[in-house]
Amino acid sequence: MAIKGVLFDFSGTLFRIESTESWLRAVLAEADVTLSEAELVRTAEQLEAAGALAGGALPEDPLPDDLAALWAVRDCSAEAHRAAYTALSRRVPLPAARLHDALYDRHMTPAAWRPYPDTAEVLGALRERGVAVGVVSNIGWDLRPVFRAHGVDPYVDAYVLSYEHGVQKPDTRLFAMACDALGVAPQDTLMVGDSRPADGGAADLGCAVHFVDHRPVAERPDALRPVLGLIG
């Protein structure tokens, strides 16, 4: 069977969010707020433990019932996504209340994201081979500017984002929308992602699935390249 279309997850697959410390430093600098180095490092550690950075670590502690319910559907709308992550951020004391929204806003900027070293290479090779490419992401905001800013948008034929459809992975409806957008049958499609619970849902639709590890950019130079060997 020849693969005619490849669907990619975004965070942890094609791109990686900056570190929690880098995220906090950027927001404090923009807001002209100063913390001592020790305070900054401690606050970054607390934010990471809280799971406040979307695309970063998951919350370490059990969430209260109301926040747990919001967390479960956070990727179904822009409003739920912002509410969930700013609620997590607010579990950590910050020097000014406005910083919680500023942190959320920062994570949506292209500067907060880096493509993996082989992202452009693999997407470009798929385009050269005539393989359709889609991005299927559980997310609460428009990631297209990130792809444009990093020069890889020309390689993507369709974006299917959970918040735009009110459906999040592993629901097979999201993968079906992506296959339809590419004009490729699920049986001729490969889904590439870092989450077995979420991205593995594509297998229930009949797609082949390939997983990569969600690791820092410097630690994962070529995990996407094997995808090219899976294209018959």
Side-chain angles (χ1 to χ4, degrees):
M1 177 189 70
I3 296 295
K4 299 176 182 177
V6 180
L7 304 176
F8 289 93
D9 174 53
F10 167 55
S11 175
T13 300
L14 294 176
F15 283 80
R16 170 81 180 206
I17 191 69
E18 65 187 330
S19 71
T20 308
E21 186 174 314
S22 171
W23 174 57
L24 178 59
R25 285 184 188 277
V27 168
L28 292 175
E30 178 68 21
D32 197 24
V33 174
T34 302
L35 289 177
S36 71
E37 186 64 17
E39 288 176 312
L40 191 151
V41 171
R42 181 170 62 253
T43 301
E45 290 173 347
Q46 292 172 338
L47 287 166
E48 181 152 351
L53 175 56
L58 297 175
E60 292 182 2
D61 297 328
L63 301 177
D65 290 345
D66 57 342
L67 183 49
L70 180 60
W71 176 258
V73 296
R74 65 193 181 280
D75 296 313
C76 286
S77 72
E79 295 77 15
H81 197 267
R82 178 180 284 272
Y85 281 101
T86 54
L88 291 172
S89 171
R90 289 189 176 94
R91 304 185 87 190
V92 177
L94 295 179
R98 71 183 190 278
L99 294 176
H100 297 287
D101 278 314
L103 284 169
Y104 184 85
D105 292 341
R106 164 72 186 182
H107 105 276
M108 296 187 289
T109 65
W113 295 88
R114 289 178 60 194
Y116 282 96
D118 53 350
T119 290
E121 171 194 340
V122 170
L123 294 183
L126 291 172
R127 172 53 57 90
E128 289 177 0
R129 297 185 188 188
V131 177
V133 171
V135 173
V136 184
S137 178
N138 279 354
I139 198 165
W141 50 275
D142 186 3
L143 52 71
R144 295 172 184 87
V146 175
F147 280 72
R148 289 196 291 267
H150 290 280
V152 293
D153 175 68
Y155 303 132
V156 180
D157 298 293
Y159 296 90
V160 178
L161 311 180
S162 61
Y163 84 101
E164 294 182 334
H165 301 282
V167 177
Q168 59 189 30
K169 298 181 289 188
D171 193 314
T172 56
R173 289 177 292 173
L174 205 64
F175 302 109
M177 292 176 201
C179 290
D180 288 345
L182 296 183
V184 178
Q187 294 75 16
D188 299 325
T189 302
L190 173 67
M191 175 67 208
V192 181
D194 67 298
S195 171
R196 282 167 171 76
D199 300 312
D204 294 330
L205 189 66
C207 300
V209 182
H210 177 73
F211 294 106
V212 294
D213 291 331
H214 188 158
R215 301 182 63 81
V217 166
E219 297 177 14
R220 214 198 74 188
D222 55 7
L224 293 171
R225 288 180 186 147
V227 169
L228 299 177
L230 299 175
I231 308 300

